């Protein structure tokens, strides 16, 4: 018998933190920060609900802050075990965690220091996809989650032969850059994300067309197109997409500003990661295409250059972080351009409840930025299909591969409505026993 306890990532999309207690080992899966709103701040700042010194191993699914953001806090609070992830996840985590402490983009600034990040990295080992590794009592194998570079699903095989998979975040295949999500069959237990558990994305053809239309219309109006983008994966996808549209001359080559020092560092990692991309992207690379660079792309690293963009006239595109407008340079551009009716703001990713991005995306006409009331006259557009998360149908079909063997599915990492809807679908359509996980609750796993 083992126990699964959901300390985070249950009842909401962020803050993934799951404890698997075996008879002789305590294993953590992800140690993420909650994002968005006051409750998230409280969660991130409070003591862990378990003793970090009692944890033997931490496995990390991928490098998003809501999966890694509290790792240095865990180490600071006494964790002395080993950390494991893919090599790209470790590389990206180093960049994101060091950025988090420096800039105060998140709660990290008050929770730990760069030294704690470096101590975490000294405990951090890497694993390769599809190479099972024994840990005494269980083996772990990583499968490609197709979500962001380095993202992995963790498949545990216990001594009895029973298996359990932690999905982490599951990608929205086909992705512009990454290989498709790997289907894993024969599972006994599954803990599955449910960010889009209650919704399906627009069709792929539609999302490409809509993106092109929004960009073309914005250029025709001569205004500024703001694209708040996650620095990790989404920014690289947008660059690759714009690269295609400019090179094929489908769009006039207006200035594009990549205004995110963090995205720049991450893009440099992507430029060295061709072997982890899908076949199409690898073929383009072999043909000598740079994927992430084009003539009219201007990289902005200094803040005064960032402010100078705001004075510019004529059509332009600004890609900046953070993806939910909770911090970062996009916020300054929003304050400047949202009151201008020639501007457009384009949302291409999930906007968590409580964030500025969510307010604007929902059409609120007056928002508060840096204590000032900003009126929103810009056109608000949304292309949902680019989400990095599998939609409801894709999640159901992911679980269906193990339909015959699954004893229980734990639905996590979604807002309650999404998780409940997905659990209901898994029950009704596949006949599975699916439970919606609750924060702090303990679940028995028969091994
Ligand atoms: Zn993620």
């Amino acid at each position: 018998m083992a126990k699964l306890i959901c300390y985070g990532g249950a009842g909401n999309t962020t803050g993934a933190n799951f404890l698997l207690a075996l008879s002789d080992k305590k294993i953590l899966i992800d140690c993420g920060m909650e994002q968005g709103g006051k409750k998230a701040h409280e969660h991130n700042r409070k003591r862990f609900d378990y003793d970090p010194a009692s944890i033997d191993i931490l496995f990390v699914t991928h490098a998003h802050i809501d999966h890694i953001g509290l790792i240095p806090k865990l180490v600071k609070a006494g964790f002395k075990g080993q950390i494991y992830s893919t090599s790209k996840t470790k590389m990206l985590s180093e960049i994101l965690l060091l950025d988090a402490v420096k800039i105060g983009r998140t709660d990290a600034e008050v929770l730990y220091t760069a030294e704690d990040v470096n101590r975490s990295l000294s405990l951090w080992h890497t694993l390769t996809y599809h190479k099972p590794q024994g840990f005494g009592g269980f083996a772990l194998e990583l499968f490609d989650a197709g979500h962001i570079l380095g993202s992995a699903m963790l498949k545990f095989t216990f001594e009895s032969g029973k298996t359990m998979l932690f999905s982490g975040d599951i990608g929205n295949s086909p992705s512009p850059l990454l290989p498709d999500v790997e289907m894993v069959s024969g599972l006994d237990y599954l803990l599955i994300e449910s960010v889009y558990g209650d919704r399906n994305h627009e069709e792929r053809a539609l999302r490409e067309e809509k993106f092109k239309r929004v960009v073309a219309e914005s250029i025709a109006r001569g205004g500024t197109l703001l694209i708040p983008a996650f620095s990790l994966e989404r920014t690289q996808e947008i660059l690759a997409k714009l690269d295609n549209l400019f090179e094929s001359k489908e769009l006039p080559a207006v200035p594009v500003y990549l205004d995110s020092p963090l995205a720049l560092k991450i893009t440099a990692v992507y430029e060295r990661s061709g072997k982890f991309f899908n076949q199409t992207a690898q073929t383009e690379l072999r043909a000598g295409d740079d994927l992430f660079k084009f003539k009219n792309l201007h990289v902005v690293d200094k803040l005064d250059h960032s402010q100078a963009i705001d004075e510019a006239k004529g059509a332009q595109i600004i890609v900046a972080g953070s993806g939910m407008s909770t911090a970062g340079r996009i916020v300054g551009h929003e304050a400047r351009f949202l009151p201008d009716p020639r501007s457009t703001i384009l949302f291409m990713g999930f906007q968590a409840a409580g964030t500025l991005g969510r307010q604007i995306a929902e059409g609120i006409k007056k928002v508060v930025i840096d204590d000032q009331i900003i009126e929103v006259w810009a056109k608000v557009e949304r292309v949902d299909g680019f989400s990095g998360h599998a939609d409801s149908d894709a999640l159901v079909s992911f679980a269906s591969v193990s339909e015959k063997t699954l004893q229980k599915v734990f639905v996590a990492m979604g807002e309650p409505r999404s998780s409940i809807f997905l659990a209901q679908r898994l029950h009704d359509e596949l006949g599975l026993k699916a439970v919606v996980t609750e924060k702090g609750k303990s679940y028995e796993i028969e091994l």
Side-chain angles (χ1 to χ4, degrees), residues 13 61-67 147-148 151 168-170 193 195 232 388-389:
T13 54
T61 60
H62 66 288
H64 274 145
I65 282 292
D66 60 326
H67 292 256
H147 170 61
I148 59 169
S151 63
D169 286 344
I170 300 181
E193 68 122 313
V195 171
L232 175 49
H389 290 269

Side-chain angles (χ1 to χ4, degrees), residues 121-149:
L121 292 165
S122 72
L123 302 172
W124 204 311
H125 308 269
T126 61
L127 296 169
T128 308
Y129 291 113
H130 311 129
K131 286 208 176 124
Q133 182 156 323
F135 286 89
F138 69 92
L140 183 86
E141 183 172 359
L142 304 184
F143 292 87
D144 199 328
H147 170 61
I148 59 169
L149 182 64

Side-chain angles (χ1 to χ4, degrees), residues 296-356:
N296 45 323
L297 174 68
H298 306 276
V299 158
V300 185
D301 54 0
K302 295 211 171 64
L303 188 61
D304 51 341
H305 295 169
S306 171
Q307 286 151 352
I309 307 170
D310 293 351
E311 308 305 321
K313 303 222 160 42
Q316 58 177 356
I317 300 171
I318 303 174
V319 181
S322 70
M324 300 190 203
S325 305
T326 48
R329 291 187 183 173
I330 192 69
V331 181
H333 297 305
E334 283 167 344
R336 165 70 184 82
F337 290 107
L338 289 179
D340 181 351
R342 286 177 314 162
S343 307
T344 306
I345 183 162
L346 170 61
F347 292 99
M348 297 173 68
F350 181 77
Q351 305 294 317
T355 60
L356 175 61

Side-chain angles (χ1 to χ4, degrees), residues 24-277:
D24 62 340
K25 270 193 192 66
K26 281 191 176 147
I27 299 159
L28 273 189
I29 290 90
D30 290 339
C31 193
M33 211 174 252
E34 282 193 8
Q35 290 167 314
K38 206 168 144 232
K39 260 176 79 181
H41 289 299
E42 280 166 17
H43 171 90
N44 295 335
R45 282 166 164 80
K46 77 173 174 54
R47 283 162 63 110
F48 288 103
D49 292 318
Y50 46 86
D51 176 12
S54 71
I55 307 294
D56 299 287
I57 308 176
L58 164 63
F59 292 109
V60 181
T61 60
H62 66 288
H64 274 145
I65 282 292
D66 60 326
H67 292 256
I68 61 167
L70 295 184
I71 294 174
K73 183 185 163 194
L74 187 79
V75 171
K76 191 179 172 187
F79 171 79
K80 290 184 181 60
Q82 307 293 310
I83 305 173
Y84 288 89
S85 75
T86 62
S87 60
K88 293 295 167 187
T89 293
K90 184 182 176 188
M91 233 176 259
L92 293 168
S93 296
E94 176 171 2
I95 295 172
L96 285 155
L97 291 170
L98 287 174
D99 178 81
V101 286
K102 255 192 306 201
I103 299 179
R105 188 188 302 279
T106 61
D107 286 327
E109 207 181 23
V110 298
L111 296 175
Y112 47 82
T113 62
E115 202 180 312
D116 298 312
V117 175
N118 289 324
R119 274 172 61 209
S120 310
L121 292 165
S122 72
L123 302 172
W124 204 311
H125 308 269
T126 61
L127 296 169
T128 308
Y129 291 113
H130 311 129
K131 286 208 176 124
Q133 182 156 323
F135 286 89
F138 69 92
L140 183 86
E141 183 172 359
L142 304 184
F143 292 87
D144 199 328
H147 170 61
I148 59 169
L149 182 64
S151 63
M153 300 184 278
L154 315 175
K155 183 187 172 191
F156 290 83
T157 304
F158 302 101
E159 275 172 340
S160 63
K162 290 231 170 122
T163 56
M164 176 164 190
L165 184 105
F166 287 81
S167 75
D169 286 344
I170 300 181
N172 175 24
S173 300
S175 137
L177 295 170
L178 302 177
D180 286 356
V181 176
E182 290 191 85
M183 295 290 168
V184 189
S185 60
L187 298 170
D188 295 294
Y189 293 95
L190 167 64
L191 184 137
I192 193 168
E193 68 122 313
S194 58
V195 171
Y196 282 89
D198 64 340
R199 280 158 296 163
N200 282 326
H201 299 316
E202 296 170 36
E203 285 169 39
R204 186 177 174 75
L206 222 59
R207 72 185 183 183
E208 306 283 337
E209 279 308 304
K210 193 166 174 195
F211 176 74
K212 200 168 95 184
R213 176 182 64 72
V214 171
V215 180
E217 283 176 4
S218 169
I219 292 173
R221 266 206 307 281
T224 297
L225 172 63
L226 295 177
I227 311 181
F230 299 102
S231 305
L232 175 49
E233 194 77 19
R234 186 55 35 77
T235 294
Q236 291 76 32
E237 286 179 2
I238 292 168
L239 292 179
K241 212 146 281 301
L242 289 171
D243 176 68
N244 280 337
L245 291 169
F246 293 131
E247 275 183 7
S248 63
K249 307 229 171 346
E250 287 173 83
L251 289 177
V254 301
V256 177
Y257 297 95
L258 172 58
D259 189 12
S260 164
L262 176 61
L264 276 178
K265 283 186 200 143
I266 292 170
T267 305
V269 175
Y270 273 68
E271 279 166 349
R272 299 193 305 267
S273 303
K275 71 169 181 169
F276 294 103
F277 294 166

